Amino acid sequence: GAGVSQTPSNKVTEKGKYVELRCDPISGHTALYWYRQSLGQGPEFLIYFQGTGAADDSGLPNDRFFAVRPEGSVSTLKIQRTERGDSAVYLCASSYFPGLGDNEQFFGPGTRLTVL
Amino acid sequence: AQTVTQSQPEMSVQEAETVTLSCTYDTSESDYYLFWYKQPPSRQMILVIRQEAYKQQNATENRFSVNFQKAAKSFSLKISDSQLGDAAMYFCAYRSISGAGSYQLTFGKGTKLSVIP
């Protein structure tokens, strides 16, 4: 079956603009995660959805970042008033319910966001 | 909070040879999962191997094996018979068994592996 897909692959925007990053998880996966990978770093957790609700958004850096998953499938990460420091690769992952054993998180190819 | 440290920013290996990537972590938990992920230039993180902390036996997946030393909080990855396709960034990651950390992966900074033909 299809893996996790993310669009766009690359996004270039100007400082102060609004951007939306989309994630399509693997069909049947109830859990969805967003991570941010800055240059030279490992991915850092941003937010976790179980179904439609954000079960943990403690990794979101500030209130300019927001994510939704209205129907429990596709998720959109929204960044308002972008800053140059937001430039990074944004990775999405999905899995079956994480509380059951060692459910593997499957990652998408990421969206590279560049803020000029 | 858990931390994961990869002290080798870059490593290189001759094709067909063996290389070991190092990882140490810090945790107060007794049960947890450890992972090695591979990230090629395509950016997609691919799970290479996983280890459950309660299992004493080191995990093995074909040419990939780990040396898990729980007391030392060390989790190294050994790649045998290295192939050109093994060239990538490798990330060590930690995940709790239960609670809030059970869905968050905590990653190290990664090791860039080059394979020399």
Side-chain angles (χ1 to χ4, degrees), chain A residues 41-59:
Chain A
Q41 304 292 320
E44 293 179 314
F45 171 81
L46 294 177
I47 187 169
Y48 153 61
F49 286 91
Q50 181 56 44
T52 60
D56 184 354
D57 63 358
S58 63

Side-chain angles (χ1 to χ4, degrees), chain A residues 62-104:
Chain A
N62 52 60
D63 60 6
R64 295 187 297 106
F65 288 74
F66 189 72
V68 295
R69 194 185 185 200
E71 297 179 354
S73 179
V74 171
S75 175
T76 304
L77 179 65
K78 309 180 179 191
I79 310 174
Q80 298 178 320
R81 304 183 303 280
T82 52
E83 299 177 357
R84 292 192 179 88
D86 298 335
S87 296
V89 173
Y90 290 82
L91 295 168
C92 176
S94 70
S95 76
Y96 292 112
F97 184 68
L100 297 177
D102 62 343
N103 284 320
E104 179 182 346

Side-chain angles (χ1 to χ4, degrees), chain B:
Chain B
Q2 293 78 27
T3 59
V4 177
T5 302
Q6 294 179 249
S7 59
Q8 305 155 315
E10 295 187 25
M11 291 282 285
S12 61
V13 62
Q14 206 78 28
E15 194 175 4
E17 296 296 310
T18 296
V19 65
T20 298
L21 308 184
S22 300
C23 172
T24 58
Y25 59 95
D26 189 28
T27 184
S28 59
E29 298 175 333
S30 58
D31 286 329
Y32 44 86
Y33 298 110
L34 294 165
F35 306 85
W36 278 99
Y37 280 87
K38 172 185 177 181
Q39 187 179 43
S42 66
R43 299 196 303 246
Q44 188 152 9
M45 301 285 278
I46 302 164
L47 180 63
V48 173
I49 198 166
R50 88 187 82 197
Q51 175 79 42
E52 294 90 341
Y54 59 88
K55 290 187 178 179
Q56 294 185 345
Q57 187 172 7
N58 289 325
T60 299
E61 289 286 343
N62 300 313
R63 298 183 295 108
F64 298 88
S65 62
V66 298
N67 183 5
F68 173 49
Q69 301 291 327
K70 190 173 183 180
K73 295 180 182 174
S74 170
F75 182 62
S76 60
L77 174 69
K78 185 171 83 171
I79 306 175
S80 303
D81 185 27
S82 296
Q83 301 175 359
L84 295 177
D86 295 334
M89 287 292 296
Y90 285 82
F91 291 93
C92 179
Y94 175 104
R95 181 160 68 85
S96 299
I97 292 281
S98 62
S102 65
Y103 45 79
Q104 290 184 27
L105 286 164
T106 299
F107 290 89
K109 290 188 175 183
T111 296
K112 182 178 181 180
L113 178 66
S114 301
V115 180
I116 304 165

